[in-house]
Amino acid sequence: MNIVASHRRQGPLAAIIRPRHASRYAPLTSWLLAFPLVATFATGFLYPLSKLVALSFANGAESYVRLLEDFLYVRVMTTTVATAAAVTVFCILLGYPVAFAMTRLRGKAALITAACVFIPLWTSVLIRSYAWIVLLQRNGLVNDFLQSAGLSDQPLKLLYTLGTVVMGMTHILLPFAILPIYATLRTLPPDFARAAANLGAGPFRTFFSITLPLSLPGLFAGAILCFVLALGFYITPALIGGPGSMLMATLIGQQTTVLLDWPFAAALSTVLLAVALLIVFLFRRALSLSKGFHSVH
Amino acid sequence: MTLILLFLILPTLIIIPMSLSTTSHLQFPPQGLTWMWYAAYFSDPDWMAATWFSLRIAIATSLTATTVGTLAALAIVRGDVPFKGMLHALSMGPLVVPHIVLGVALYLVLSPLQLTGTLAGFLIGHTVLAVPFVVITVMAALQRLDPALDLAALNCGANRAQAFIHVTLPNIAPSLASGAVFSFLASFDEATVAFFISDVGGKSIGRKMFEDIDFNLTPVIAAASTVVVFASLFLIGFAQLLLKAESPQIQTGEHDQ
Amino acid sequence: MTLRHVEKTYGTVWAVRQTDLEVGAGEFVSIVGPSGSGKTTLLTMIAGFEPPTAGSIRVGDRDVTMLAPNRRNIGMVFQKYALFPHMTVRQNIAFPLRMRDLARGQSADKRIDAMLELVQLHGLQHRYPHQLSGGQQQRVAVARTLVFDPPVILMDEPLGALDKKLREAMQFEIKRIQERIGATVIYVTHDQEEALTMSDRVAVMHKGRVEQIGTPSDLYSNPDSAFVADFVGSINFVPGIVCGQDRSHTGIKVRNTVIQVPRPTGRSTYRQREGAAVRIAARPEHISIAPYQDHDAQSLSGTIETIVFAGATRTALVRLHGSPDLVLRADVPSSFRSLPQRGSHVALVLCSEALRIFDAERVE
């Protein structure tokens, strides 16, 4: 008799206001919780981006044709990819040892290392780009040093070159490579390395046959993160790059602020957006975004 | 190793001697020390206007992003909706979309509405940028929290809202607060989107710095930067303390099904 | 408390199949079973954390099947206690009263004091959970559950996180408290020994079904199924073939030996087909070891593999002659003149009165 009674109470309404298990919120509650995000992102994220894409097609595919036909723009695109790749390689090469050291160091050394990684991370990109200008400008510290050391008799042109841009971006993105690698290395049980040592592997062998392969997920996540961020980097190339180091982002900036060619800027942005999304989509497993970024905190 | 660390930290630290140096370009050893660039920063109405505007934006962003992000994190971790994965992916979206693209896109929307350079315009742009940080921190806290705590509260007679207020909220509060700090900084330090959605009437400190670095490089920028860096580090240190305070008390555990 | 035809499915997967269970007031009933047997799911349905797919749950004359968990008034002690980490011991215990708007006033204070007294934690009332030992946390969890005087208390492996010594102490502690206040307890555990020690009755769950419910001694000596026999206590299964049965006994042929097993009384339908493959179930204490020369047509023979020290008794692992993959556990009687040696041949005498027959194991 109770069976019937208890079944009648499970109507369609009950299915959305009643949780399936008390450790979860009911479907209706969940929707209400998600609503502010969906609303904010619809107006401040999805709508603007779709408007951007729409604008890029304002004159049909004309902007895209121009993009592909003009040698200059093709070169900007290849330079952008090459720059991002170079920055990524440098970030990994410089970042891995730091991440590795962070898992091994104790006490004061660990604290100093962590400070060196985290302080720049939470310092504005602008400020760090500015610092590079101060260091590298014609009468900057580096030129002073080179001249007083007799390595050069006149100030060198260190700023506004592609090399400087690569260095500046490497400096800024380095923490983004370090932290995912560190996060993976930290979760590796020390038993693996101990077992390898116990089985007769020297420190060198242990690192290359055990630690490095096991930390590849973090390395990969860091690399993709760096690459995607480098592709769309604006501030640093805009401030310390020059005409010879035009990148996608700076080109977009130029189109919008100087030439006011919005449809073309929109087309460039769409290409950049598509490439970034494509990379993230292809490597979404390796990236595990929230993991990679969580370590940032 | 040491070289890499120096490479990381030196360019950030260099602004401190720069801001105190009497010469307009940095020399080593410095010719003399002065506070005049700080005085210049604090007395320049343009700098002050940009600073206060950015502060207001950052505080408002922090409030909205924390609210929106926390609710979304609850829906993602504890909710029962299809497309949970999509919701999560959406909330992480601003991390992968290049800021310049979002800046241009927001300009296209805000400009015809005459919202460029306004608090409202910045608020929507910066909230979108800051939400991922809140979602990540709060989600992590919720995942660390033993789901049995909520069940225990219900079992003790608390309803859903009471269980959240008396049990879940106090336990994720430190993460929530640090999410708020991170979103404050994400807004205050943001320059690319700000570059596009600022205008003559409303300029964020990021845009102001960008212009000054581009057009008239003076140590006032160094002074402003130093102030910003120290304020940021103070806030981050505060957030780290909060997170640390949270960890020993939390007991984690999964439930046998 | 009564469960009638309670079922739970997740999609097409059965978690709990039609289950009936009746628990009397003041009774201590354990639900045991291996992990995945559905015991925790059954408990969550009683607590109201998830609704059953079908069936009804009643407490007294109240149907609580679809009632929200916070309005059920059923207490629960969680596996890892689920103490609120940001509240002191006292605040934890006061929480159920607060949620019932009963937390203020002298009677509430008195009630909380009484609970602290009951679980002997008076001196620690202002500590936080993480400052307590596992056993103390456990007692706070019990007090928090008892404070609102629920008619039924559920316990989900409450001792699982404690080490063996403490677990045994807490078993007596929980039993003492339960008896003192006459609480009705449903206790879930995977530890059959714990269930046998503490309970008035034990329900054995297997694959979402209650296989048998009865008093501990009932389950031990009269298991209904091979699963129950195996799960409760330790037991040997000896495969054999039915050969000849009379009114009182069934003969089972194990290699060259025929063992006479008494037919269970009161179950006249239980009749084995001649030649059917069956298993004889014998507890280690019902197999005795005799010198090899005593070997006769009624006993088995084997070689001692090893002897395990188990406190009061010793258990011999004996490999049967002719069945190289069959090792039996037999208690070595303390009266045995000298301990049998490893590798020696012995005769195994099965105490026929205590044997049970089950169908041969089907390969599933």
Side-chain angles (χ1 to χ4, degrees):
Chain A
M1 28 146 202
N2 293 319
I3 310 163
V4 185
S6 55
H7 269 193
R8 202 183 302 137
R9 264 166 284 169
Q10 279 234 359
L13 183 65
I16 58 167
I17 60 167
R18 204 182 268 287
R20 274 186 299 180
H21 189 286
S23 60
R24 304 230 161 267
Y25 292 131
L28 182 66
T29 319
S30 317
W31 281 115
L32 289 176
L33 289 172
F35 178 75
L37 180 102
V38 174
T40 314
F41 275 50
T43 49
F45 187 62
L46 297 177
Y47 173 63
L49 289 180
S50 58
K51 199 164 173 188
L52 175 91
V53 175
L55 181 66
S56 76
F57 288 104
N59 313 323
E62 193 207 293
S63 304
Y64 291 97
V65 173
R66 202 170 120 207
L67 194 62
L68 291 173
E69 276 180 347
D70 193 325
F71 175 70
L72 175 74
Y73 300 131
V74 174
R75 213 188 57 189
V76 167
M77 283 190 277
T78 50
T79 314
T80 306
V81 172
T83 308
V87 168
T88 306
V89 170
F90 283 125
C91 280
I92 294 298
L93 288 181
L94 297 178
Y96 200 100
V98 176
F100 190 75
M102 280 171 78
T103 61
R104 294 299 143 102
L105 293 173
R106 293 282 170 272
K108 230 178 203 147
L111 204 68
I112 292 171
T113 312
C116 288
V117 175
F118 281 96
I119 291 178
L121 182 68
W122 283 105
T123 305
S124 161
V125 174
L126 266 174
I127 296 175
R128 288 192 284 160
S129 304
Y130 166 67
W132 280 112
I133 296 178
V134 170
L135 281 172
L136 299 177
Q137 62 191 326
R138 205 156 264 279
N139 49 10
L141 212 54
V142 173
N143 264 324
D144 279 1
F145 173 76
L146 290 177
Q147 278 170 283
S148 61
L151 293 170
S152 163
D153 40 14
Q154 56 182 6
L156 295 175
K157 187 193 169 217
L158 297 172
L159 270 179
Y160 314 122
T161 68
L162 193 56
T164 324
V165 172
V166 169
M167 186 184 66
M169 279 165 73
T170 303
H171 166 243
I172 283 160
L173 294 177
L174 197 47
F176 290 96
I178 295 174
L179 291 170
I181 299 174
Y182 170 67
T184 346
L185 282 175
R186 199 181 45 177
T187 56
L188 292 186
D191 282 0
F192 289 152
R194 281 184 202 148
N198 178 261
L199 295 170
F204 203 66
R205 285 279 294 274
T206 304
F207 177 79
F208 280 101
S209 58
I210 307 290
T211 312
L212 184 61
L214 286 173
S215 64
L216 280 181
L219 193 149
F220 215 54
I224 295 162
L225 211 58
C226 281
F227 189 72
V228 171
L229 290 174
L231 273 184
F233 226 86
Y234 178 60
I235 300 286
T236 308
L239 289 177
I240 65 177
S245 55
M246 183 72 84
L247 300 177
M248 283 290 273
T250 36
L251 182 60
I252 295 171
Q254 191 196 49
Q255 294 295 326
T256 53
T257 52
V258 185
L259 303 170
L260 302 178
D261 186 346
W262 287 92
F264 188 59
L268 287 168
S269 301
T270 305
V271 170
L272 197 55
L273 176 67
V275 174
L277 289 182
L278 184 73
I279 292 169
V280 171
F281 181 77
L282 286 180
F283 298 104
R284 63 194 182 285
R285 273 179 206 291
L287 199 50
S288 176
L289 267 180
S290 46
K291 236 176 228 160
F293 274 96
H294 184 246
S295 51
V296 167
H297 296 170
Chain B
M1 246 317 281
T2 319
L3 281 178
I4 305 174
L5 291 180
L6 286 177
F7 172 67
L8 267 168
I9 196 74
L10 267 191
T12 314
L13 296 183
I14 207 83
I15 56 165
I16 301 172
M18 181 73 197
S19 68
L20 294 169
S21 144
T22 44
T23 47
S24 67
H25 58 90
L26 190 60
Q27 284 183 335
F28 228 81
Q31 302 287 300
L33 297 177
T34 172
W35 290 104
M36 81 179 176
W37 306 114
Y38 287 89
Y41 166 64
F42 283 109
S43 60
D44 183 327
D46 236 27
W47 273 108
M48 282 297 107
T51 308
W52 285 116
F53 187 48
S54 276
L55 266 179
R56 273 165 50 216
I57 296 168
I59 289 168
T61 299
S62 167
L63 290 176
T64 50
T66 307
T67 314
V68 170
T70 302
L71 297 181
L74 280 168
I76 295 168
V77 177
R78 295 269 180 90
D80 186 2
V81 282
F83 315 124
K84 236 170 163 174
M86 274 176 71
L87 192 64
H88 188 201
L90 177 67
S91 69
M92 294 296 121
L95 291 179
V96 294
V97 171
H99 285 191
I100 182 149
V101 175
L102 196 59
V104 173
L106 278 167
Y107 176 83
L108 293 177
V109 172
L110 296 177
S111 172
L113 298 172
Q114 301 195 318
L115 283 175
T116 50
T118 64
L119 181 64
F122 271 96
L123 182 59
I124 189 141
H126 280 181
T127 299
V128 166
L129 289 175
V131 157
F133 295 107
V134 179
V135 171
I136 289 168
T137 1
V138 176
M139 266 182 76
L142 285 172
Q143 278 157 348
R144 273 197 303 270
L145 198 64
D146 185 354
L149 289 183
D150 229 37
L151 297 182
L154 295 175
N155 187 257
C156 287
N159 62 32
R160 274 279 165 213
Q162 287 171 318
F164 177 75
I165 291 165
H166 293 297
V167 175
T168 306
L169 192 58
N171 283 295
I172 62 168
S175 292
L176 208 134
S178 78
V181 170
F182 287 130
S183 46
F184 177 91
L185 286 178
S187 162
F188 196 78
D189 284 350
E190 204 283 324
T192 312
V193 171
F195 179 82
F196 284 94
I197 63 176
S198 288
D199 64 14
V200 199
K203 221 182 260 180
S204 77
I205 190 165
R207 166 81 190 219
K208 168 75 181 154
M209 271 190 191
F210 190 95
E211 284 174 1
D212 275 41
I213 295 170
D214 225 12
F215 301 121
N216 56 358
L217 208 55
T218 68
V220 179
I221 305 166
S225 301
T226 310
V227 172
V228 170
V229 168
F230 276 103
S232 304
L233 290 183
F234 175 76
L235 274 176
I236 286 292
F238 181 64
Q240 290 299 327
L241 277 183
L242 284 174
L243 283 177
K244 238 182 212 130
E246 178 186 77
S247 40
Q249 280 193 16
I250 299 296
Q251 37 171 317
T252 44
E254 61 271 29
H255 214 60
D256 162 63
Q257 281 299 341
Chain C
M1 203 200 72
T2 318
L3 304 188
R4 278 181 60 85
H5 305 318
V6 169
E7 295 181 1
K8 182 73 190 176
T9 53
Y10 297 107
T12 56
V13 184
W14 286 93
V16 172
R17 287 165 193 269
Q18 248 192 27
T19 295
D20 295 276
L21 184 68
E22 213 155 310
V23 179
E27 202 180 8
F28 193 116
V29 174
S30 286
I31 303 176
V32 291
S35 59
S37 61
K39 52 190 197 303
T40 296
T41 309
L42 196 62
L43 207 66
T44 40
M45 288 191 289
I46 300 172
F49 298 146
E50 50 187 337
T53 314
S56 74
I57 301 166
R58 304 178 70 88
V59 176
D61 49 9
R62 220 158 45 109
D63 183 339
V64 299
T65 315
M66 297 312 267
L67 207 60
N70 50 318
R71 284 188 282 161
R72 282 198 183 201
N73 218 25
I74 293 178
M76 177 149 174
V77 177
F78 289 80
Q79 200 165 19
K80 284 167 189 157
Y81 324 132
L83 299 179
F84 306 127
H86 59 296
M87 297 182 193
T88 62
V89 168
R90 192 178 180 91
Q91 288 167 335
N92 261 285
I93 297 175
F95 189 77
L97 300 180
R98 249 172 93 199
M99 291 301 115
R100 289 169 173 75
D101 287 327
L102 297 171
R104 274 183 214 116
Q106 278 194 329
S107 65
D109 283 344
K110 250 195 219 143
R111 178 93 190 128
I112 297 165
D113 286 335
M115 284 302 128
L116 287 164
E117 207 64 65
L118 183 69
V119 297
Q120 299 166 354
L121 282 176
H122 227 295
L124 303 175
Q125 55 169 323
H126 297 302
R127 295 258 185 105
Y128 283 93
H130 65 100
Q131 298 168 312
L132 301 179
S133 72
Q136 291 165 339
Q137 292 184 16
Q138 165 68 56
R139 282 186 279 180
V140 178
V142 171
R144 186 179 67 182
T145 310
L146 293 176
V147 73
F148 61 97
D149 209 7
V152 180
I153 296 163
L154 310 174
M155 296 195 177
D156 184 10
E157 308 236 7
L159 305 180
L162 304 178
D163 61 43
K164 192 168 156 51
K165 257 240 139 59
L166 193 54
R167 200 159 65 217
E168 280 166 9
M170 285 306 297
Q171 286 174 7
F172 287 112
E173 180 83 10
I174 289 178
K175 195 65 191 155
R176 171 184 74 83
I177 294 171
Q178 184 256 338
E179 278 170 359
R180 207 177 120 190
I181 61 173
T184 310
V185 172
I186 300 180
Y187 190 98
V188 161
T189 174
H190 66 269
D191 182 349
Q192 44 94 14
E193 224 173 292
E194 190 170 290
L196 297 182
T197 324
M198 300 176 74
S199 321
D200 299 321
R201 284 190 302 151
V202 177
V204 181
M205 281 194 81
H206 180 45
K207 293 184 179 163
R209 218 188 274 284
V210 173
E211 290 249 344
Q212 189 175 358
I213 177 159
T215 62
S217 69
D218 214 23
L219 289 182
Y220 191 80
S221 38
N222 289 311
D224 279 350
S225 66
F227 177 80
V228 175
D230 193 23
F231 194 77
V232 178
S234 98
I235 202 154
N236 298 292
F237 288 110
V238 184
I241 306 284
V242 176
C243 70
Q245 22 193 339
D246 57 28
R247 211 174 312 157
S248 58
H249 287 81
T250 308
I252 309 287
K253 191 162 189 278
V254 181
R255 294 200 61 79
N256 301 323
T257 311
V258 174
I259 295 165
Q260 294 298 328
V261 180
R263 306 247 322 256
T265 49
R267 251 180 278 184
S268 51
T269 50
Y270 192 72
R271 191 187 162 83
Q272 299 290 347
R273 231 171 359 96
E274 194 75 15
V278 293
R279 281 181 293 174
I280 303 172
R283 302 228 176 255
E285 66 266 30
H286 297 136
I287 302 181
S288 47
I289 295 181
Y292 188 67
Q293 52 267 33
D294 296 353
H295 178 48
D296 59 12
Q298 298 283 312
S299 62
L300 301 167
S301 67
T303 308
I304 294 195
E305 286 264 296
T306 183
I307 295 193
V308 184
F309 176 75
T313 60
R314 284 174 169 72
T315 303
L317 301 184
V318 182
R319 194 173 291 279
L320 279 196
H321 288 154
S323 310
D325 46 0
L326 195 59
V327 175
L328 298 188
R329 301 166 66 89
D331 286 353
V332 179
S334 48
S335 59
F336 209 89
R337 285 170 301 253
S338 59
L339 280 177
Q341 292 301 303
R342 237 183 96 188
S344 59
H345 297 295
V346 290
L348 293 171
V349 183
L350 275 57
C351 167
S352 72
E353 296 313 308
L355 301 180
R356 306 277 321 209
I357 301 175
F358 297 107
D359 288 340
E361 202 166 10
R362 268 181 296 269
V363 182
E364 287 174 12

